[in-house]
Amino acid sequence: MIDKIKEHIAEVEKFTTESKEAVESFRIKYLGKKGLLNDFFAEFKNVPNEQKKEFGQTINKLKKTAEEKVNTLKSALDNTTAETGIYGDLTRPGEATNIGARHPISIVKNQIIDIFSRIGFNVSEGPEIEDDWHNFTALNLPEYHPARDMQDTFFVQTNPDILLRTHTSSVQVRYMENNKPPIRTISPGRVYRNEAISARSHCFFHQIEGLYIDKNVSFADLKQTLQFFTTELFGKSKIRLRPSYFPFTEPSAEVDVYWGLETEADYRITKGTGWLEIGGCGMVDPNVLKNCGIDAEEYSGFAFGVGIDRIAMLLYQITDIRLLSENDVRFLEQFKSAL
Ligand code: DAH
């Protein structure tokens, strides 16, 4: 009998498990009401007197070993499940996902696309490396036309026919060559000019071109469209159209939006006037329509081109245009909450 109890002690010492249920059935087997220990204790009265002492000591040892085993297994399991159970500690705060930020130019570009898509404009794009025809000649800027000097052009290598587009107006030409009126399209994109880089100007920036060609399109349609656009974008509706000159439109105007002078940045960005020039516009010159294969007797239309960078600077109070292309994460991170 004593040997049998000793075998149990060895068994208890060896026992190990990682499951709470197994610990519990182990406890019941030895220490439960109908467990082995109680059976052995009940045997006590049948043990001959001279063996009683050793028998008693052995059962007590079994009891102690079993109790200790249950306690250590239980506490080990309690600690591990708290930390590494399948789902871990469900009350722990979640880990934040590190989301990126959209670039302010993209944010503003998408807003403008959204506004124009609500009044039936689609989006079109053209290449950044252009030829002379699409960037200049078709837009009523023939070779040696003095207005070419207004846009300091980067030529690609030594070929004077291939250049980095100086404006998105080149996309107007491509669109008219490939589509029949009625046309309502906007063309966002990057443009390049050989200008000294400063806080206010850069050698590349972004424009959105707009083109509307149909029968009986008038200057009033142009003005109303620009009015709608600026009201939607800025929440401010005061604009002015200053007479101007562009070879591809007649008449032509420059578009200013009244922004106000509430902050230091407003002063700097609007040169202290409160007015921001956002781009140019006008009625498409009949010559341009002809160059693109559209009957200028039947159709007329308007076009405009606005600078995205300036608008982004005003909306986000950015006082140095260079920040838009430096890719400094401390700057870019600030746009995380914007769409
Ligand atoms: N392309 C002109 C520029 O970059 C802007 C412009 C003016 C675009 C008048 C137009 C327009 O479509 O009608 O300075």
Side-chain angles (χ1 to χ4, degrees), residues 108 112 205-208 277-280 305-312:
V108 172
I112 298 176
F205 51 97
H206 304 80
Q207 292 184 329
I208 287 199
E277 184 198 317
I278 59 166
V306 297
I308 304 180
D309 304 61
R310 282 208 187 163
I311 294 175

Side-chain angles (χ1 to χ4, degrees), residues 115 135 157 186 197:
I115 292 169
N135 196 81
Q157 292 177 341
I186 52 168
I197 298 172

Side-chain angles (χ1 to χ4, degrees), residues 115-128:
I115 292 169
F116 279 104
S117 70
R118 277 185 260 144
I119 50 172
F121 283 73
N122 68 7
V123 177
S124 51
E125 285 183 342
E128 291 181 18

Side-chain angles (χ1 to χ4, degrees), residues 151 167 169 172 193 207 209 246 248-249 280-282 303-305:
Q151 306 188 342
H167 52 188
S169 302
Q172 284 186 31
R193 286 187 203 175
Q207 292 184 329
E209 195 78 10
F246 298 102
F248 31 91
T249 45
C281 67
F304 57 86

Side-chain angles (χ1 to χ4, degrees), residues 134-238:
H134 292 97
N135 196 81
F136 291 127
T137 309
L139 288 164
N140 225 8
L141 275 145
E143 211 183 339
Y144 305 120
H145 192 290
R148 284 195 180 203
D149 292 347
M150 278 171 15
Q151 306 188 342
D152 303 297
T153 310
F154 282 120
F155 292 93
V156 172
Q157 292 177 341
T158 48
N159 186 345
D161 191 46
I162 305 295
L163 45 89
L164 296 180
R165 67 178 175 197
T166 59
H167 52 188
T168 45
S169 302
S170 56
V171 191
Q172 284 186 31
V173 178
R174 286 185 179 273
Y175 199 87
M176 286 190 277
E177 282 173 346
N178 295 305
N179 295 276
K180 299 238 159 306
I183 290 171
R184 276 181 230 163
T185 190
I186 52 168
S187 325
R190 181 174 287 177
V191 303
Y192 301 82
R193 286 187 203 175
N194 192 357
E195 272 174 27
I197 298 172
S198 71
R200 290 184 51 86
S201 69
H202 211 293
C203 60
F204 63 80
F205 51 97
H206 304 80
Q207 292 184 329
I208 287 199
E209 195 78 10
L211 180 67
Y212 191 138
I213 309 285
D214 204 345
K215 292 178 181 160
N216 303 318
V217 180
S218 72
F219 199 88
D221 297 322
L222 167 60
K223 187 173 178 195
Q224 199 55 46
T225 305
L226 291 171
Q227 182 83 63
F228 169 76
F229 161 61
T230 52
T231 311
E232 291 294 298
L233 186 64
F234 297 107
K236 302 186 185 200
S237 53
K238 200 158 133 191

